[in-house]
Amino acid sequence: MTKKIVILLGLPGSGKGTQGSVLADELKIPHISTGDIFRKVSLGESDESRLISSYMREGKLVPSDLVNQLVIKYIVSEECSAGCILDGYPRTLSQAEYFIEHVDSDVYVLFFELGDDEVIKRILGRYNCSSCGKVYNKYSYRPKKEGICDSCGSNHFVSREDDDEETIARRIELYKEETLPLVQYYKNKGSFFLIDAAGSRAEVTKEVLRIAKRI
Ligand code: AMP
């Protein structure tokens, strides 16, 4: 079986994380979120943890040499032997070039297109269960029973440290400078799917599952 790598592109808050999990279940390959990995690493006590934490808090990109090494380690691991969904990588042209030089797999790109205003609203509304990590949104996706996580029953929720207005503005600006050029880059390479991410969770999931049949 050929190894499949699915790259999710889109602004922070455009639904990559939520839909990436759906796609991972459907294709039976792991969902690798570099943001989630760095959030865990940033909790450590090492100099590297502190460095990563400071980049993230300020909404800046973690240096590519750290990111590239980490992602390639995952891609070649047993866990990713059938492939994986990459959420948050590559994020710059130099990361995309590094990836292409080091990975020989079938690559599919899903681009979640969404305007800045909707992204800001979604990010300011999002919070997650501190126990299992399930993500909710106070405007559009609350737990079925208010205050209780649907997945694990916990009653403790948190918001991300970098989900404040000022940091979001910086992340959006950085995305436009560094990540948006990847849309054209991958459009020219084939196996590129554009998703209108403005719909409801259920509508976008339907579209993602339709695309999954072609992967
Ligand atoms: P995310 O959860 O994808 O929004 O990522 C959160 C933060 O993790 C970003 O703002 C960056 O500081 C860092 N990060 C995640 N992926 C990358 C990457 N590919 N390159 C550099 N920094 C990254």
Side-chain angles (χ1 to χ4, degrees), residues 105-167:
S105 307
D106 289 343
V107 175
Y108 304 84
V109 178
L110 272 58
F111 171 45
F112 292 78
E113 193 173 49
L114 192 61
D116 296 5
D117 290 349
E118 180 62 19
V119 154
I120 293 169
K121 185 177 168 213
R122 284 190 191 182
I123 296 182
L124 290 177
R126 89 178 159 186
Y127 60 100
N128 58 275
C129 169
S130 59
S131 178
C132 72
K134 186 172 167 78
V135 182
Y136 296 94
N137 194 290
K138 66 179 176 194
Y139 303 114
S140 56
Y141 190 75
R142 288 170 172 273
K144 290 189 184 79
K145 192 163 173 220
E146 199 55 45
I148 306 288
C149 175
D150 296 344
S151 292
C152 73
S154 160
N155 61 359
H156 194 246
F157 298 89
V158 287
S159 291
R160 274 172 52 170
E161 233 186 353
D162 58 348
D163 274 355
D164 65 282
E165 237 163 307
E166 203 183 309
T167 316

Side-chain angles (χ1 to χ4, degrees), residues 12-13 16 33-36 38-39 52 55-57 59-64 67 71 87-92 95 126 160 162 171 174:
K16 301 186 301 296
S33 155
T34 46
D36 284 351
F38 286 135
R39 268 183 285 285
I52 288 174
Y55 280 109
M56 294 179 82
R57 247 195 340 264
K60 292 182 181 163
L61 292 181
V62 172
S64 282
V67 189
V71 173
D87 170 0
Y89 182 91
R91 227 166 168 117
T92 65
Q95 289 180 10
R126 89 178 159 186
R160 274 172 52 170
D162 58 348
R171 281 155 66 204
L174 202 56

Side-chain angles (χ1 to χ4, degrees), residues 14-211:
S14 59
K16 301 186 301 296
T18 305
Q19 303 300 340
S21 301
V22 171
L23 200 55
D25 285 347
E26 182 68 14
L27 297 176
K28 299 187 176 45
I29 51 178
H31 174 202
I32 310 288
S33 155
T34 46
D36 284 351
I37 293 169
F38 286 135
R39 268 183 285 285
K40 277 192 200 122
V41 175
S42 72
L43 301 175
E45 293 292 326
S46 66
D47 286 349
E48 189 176 273
S49 296
R50 277 189 282 273
L51 182 74
I52 288 174
S53 169
S54 71
Y55 280 109
M56 294 179 82
R57 247 195 340 264
E58 291 174 31
K60 292 182 181 163
L61 292 181
V62 172
S64 282
D65 49 347
L66 288 177
V67 189
N68 287 331
Q69 282 171 24
L70 179 110
V71 173
I72 297 302
K73 204 171 83 191
Y74 271 94
I75 292 176
V76 299
S77 71
E78 184 56 31
E79 185 194 355
C80 295
S81 57
C84 61
I85 318 276
L86 288 180
D87 170 0
Y89 182 91
R91 227 166 168 117
T92 65
L93 278 172
S94 85
Q95 289 180 10
E97 294 290 356
Y98 185 91
F99 173 81
I100 226 166
E101 275 166 31
H102 291 81
V103 179
D104 180 26
S105 307
D106 289 343
V107 175
Y108 304 84
V109 178
L110 272 58
F111 171 45
F112 292 78
E113 193 173 49
L114 192 61
D116 296 5
D117 290 349
E118 180 62 19
V119 154
I120 293 169
K121 185 177 168 213
R122 284 190 191 182
I123 296 182
L124 290 177
R126 89 178 159 186
Y127 60 100
N128 58 275
C129 169
S130 59
S131 178
C132 72
K134 186 172 167 78
V135 182
Y136 296 94
N137 194 290
K138 66 179 176 194
Y139 303 114
S140 56
Y141 190 75
R142 288 170 172 273
K144 290 189 184 79
K145 192 163 173 220
E146 199 55 45
I148 306 288
C149 175
D150 296 344
S151 292
C152 73
S154 160
N155 61 359
H156 194 246
F157 298 89
V158 287
S159 291
R160 274 172 52 170
E161 233 186 353
D162 58 348
D163 274 355
D164 65 282
E165 237 163 307
E166 203 183 309
T167 316
I168 294 166
R170 208 169 305 129
R171 281 155 66 204
I172 292 178
E173 199 181 317
L174 202 56
Y175 168 87
K176 288 185 179 166
E177 279 170 26
E178 300 279 2
T179 313
L180 202 53
L182 292 180
V183 170
Q184 202 51 49
Y185 176 87
Y186 282 116
K187 257 188 194 166
N188 297 336
K189 292 197 184 301
S191 295
F192 177 93
F193 301 92
L194 172 71
I195 296 171
D196 175 6
S200 67
R201 239 181 221 234
E203 284 164 348
V204 179
T205 295
K206 202 168 151 195
E207 176 64 3
V208 165
L209 292 177
R210 198 182 59 79
I211 292 169

